Amino acid sequence: MSDIEKKLEAFLNEFEREGYETGAGLKEDADFTSIYERHSGLFTPETAAAAREDVPAANGRDTLAAFITVNIIDNALKEPMDELLTSELKTLITVQGKEVPFRQAQVLISNEPDPAARREIDTLRRAAQRGLNPMYADLQRRSHLMAMDMGYSDYVNFFQELENLDLTELRTHTRKLLKETEAVYLKLLDSYRTELLPGVAAADLEQCDMAFMRRASHFDSLFPADAMVSATWKTLGAMGVDAEHNPNITLDIEHRDNKSPRAFCSPVKVPDEVYLVIMPHGGADDYNSFMHELGHTLHFAYADPALPVAHRFLGDNSVTEAHAMTMEYLSYCGPWLAWALGKSDTAAYLKFMDFFELYMLRRYSAKLHYEMDLHGGEFSLGECANIYADTLTRATHVQYDADDYLRDVDPHFYCARYLRAWMLRRQIIVALEQKFGEKWFAGPDAGRMLRGLWALGQKEDAEAVSARVGFHTLDMDAIIAHYTDTYA
């Protein structure tokens, strides 16, 4: 291992640990600044150039150099980023006379059945968000300027050149999805709005309503809280994967006020120390989130320890997202619900989850389109607020608010990773079902196949993994066909 690789792994260990402790609510102040300062010599143009010369191609030279280059910007913005994260952790809103952390607002919204009360909480959340937006905007402006200072025409060009990912081609796939699933989506959306959101007219449908709808509390009886972890261990055990007793894996499912409402996986040391963090709030959504993050956890915890650091930590994150989605799929797979939980009356739930996945596909397609405008340099940040609201609203037929135009942006075009992962996940599931039947999760053969994929880490990109499971391209065609054939 080269000296640069050793230094990078030490940085990643510290960075991921800080991300775990901050996201899990174990500390009140984010301190990524000191981590970057301890590793200040790593993120420079000179180090990126040295990586291209000193790191063997087989060790992921290009991936490593790209990561260093992207983090030149993150390193320069470490202090304002820490200030933003700390401000979010300390921001409170007052709901019905009680102060609650800003981060808890989404949990409260998703569990609030009264539309007026949901909107009241969301109004308070958005007011707090407006107070944070100047800090978000400063980070965006500075990152865009730094990308251009490095010689790139704009941040989109910066990302595509470094990551070797064609966002324009992906946007073409998503435009096709939006166009060809429009009629089916509108029919399903209207049906579920009428059923689950009585009193909310189509023109008044807001994002906070979708958060409540996604909570799917009317299906809670299918998902007993005390069976979530045991059913998962049972499944993995049947596949020959003893994750329950794997010392590399730590579950963090305790409630903490400042814990992120968004479940996540922290691969602090791959494969030796991996955390799965979730703040349970009930029902199907818990199972979906837990099993999604479990997919990440398994991918990292069963990666080949002999892989170079670039292939254990970095690479095409579409791959780890596909593995996460593969495990999450079980929570809305009829045969698994019957086998693992003894639930057979699941048709209504499965149709609902099919609809909601289409909503998310359309939402992330719109996010990609918006973020290409945000980062493309053609529009001012002030203009982008309205572009965000308009783009997301038109794609989902749900009212999105301009206040969220910067918060609803994952760093480094991560929305593209999710979209590519949806395409790859469908191929992995098809391969598993064709090889091992609809109950593939109940036997060791599927476990061997998945462990073989997990062991690769992210040495290969999504296209290469697609080829491994018997396909030749990534596109939306199979996803589109599923919805148009099933619901047209």
Side-chain angles (χ1 to χ4, degrees), residues 3 11 27 64-65 85 108 118 142 170 209 215 250 254 292 296 356 367-368 377 384 390 459 467 474 485:
D3 185 56
F11 165 80
K27 57 186 301 185
L64 194 149
L85 291 173
L108 295 176
R118 274 200 304 276
R142 293 169 68 179
L170 183 58
D209 297 316
R215 170 64 181 81
T250 299
E254 297 178 24
H292 181 99
H296 286 304
F356 219 93
K367 274 168 60 71
L368 174 68
C384 286
D390 181 62
K459 181 179 179 179
L474 287 177
D485 292 350

Side-chain angles (χ1 to χ4, degrees), residues 185-311:
Y185 172 73
L186 280 173
K187 181 171 69 173
L188 291 169
L189 177 64
D190 190 60
S191 173
Y192 283 114
R193 177 188 57 79
T194 303
E195 176 186 350
L196 303 177
L197 301 170
V200 178
D204 298 330
L205 192 60
E206 297 183 13
Q207 187 184 7
C208 63
D209 297 316
M210 299 303 286
F212 171 72
M213 187 189 289
R214 185 180 187 181
R215 170 64 181 81
S217 59
H218 55 300
F219 293 122
D220 278 359
S221 61
L222 295 175
F223 298 95
D226 59 358
M228 181 174 73
V229 176
S230 60
T232 303
W233 294 151
K234 170 188 171 182
T235 304
L236 292 170
M239 288 196 290
V241 181
D242 188 13
E244 180 180 6
H245 301 106
N246 187 330
N248 298 353
I249 296 172
T250 299
L251 301 186
D252 183 338
I253 58 175
E254 297 178 24
H255 178 89
R256 302 185 191 93
D257 285 344
N258 272 331
K259 197 174 192 179
S260 171
R262 186 173 180 175
F264 65 95
C265 166
S266 284
V268 174
K269 294 182 179 179
V270 180
D272 301 323
E273 186 179 351
V274 185
Y275 295 88
L276 192 170
V277 182
I278 184 172
M279 187 165 67
H281 54 271
D285 197 38
D286 271 359
Y287 275 69
N288 302 154
S289 298
F290 175 71
M291 297 185 78
H292 181 99
E293 297 308 323
L294 179 67
H296 286 304
T297 302
L298 295 168
H299 180 213
F300 290 117
Y302 287 94
D304 183 350
L307 288 170
V309 60
H311 296 156

Side-chain angles (χ1 to χ4, degrees), residues 24 33 49 57 62 116-117 132 158 184 189 194 223 320 353 438 469 474:
T33 296
D62 292 342
L132 295 167
F158 171 77
V184 166
L189 177 64
T194 303
F223 298 95
T320 192
M353 290 305 298
E438 67 173 12
V469 298
L474 287 177

Side-chain angles (χ1 to χ4, degrees), residues 10 21 150 162 188 214 234 291 353 398 420 466:
E21 292 179 354
M150 291 184 198
L162 287 171
L188 291 169
R214 185 180 187 181
K234 170 188 171 182
M291 297 185 78
M353 290 305 298
V398 173
R420 285 161 52 79
S466 170

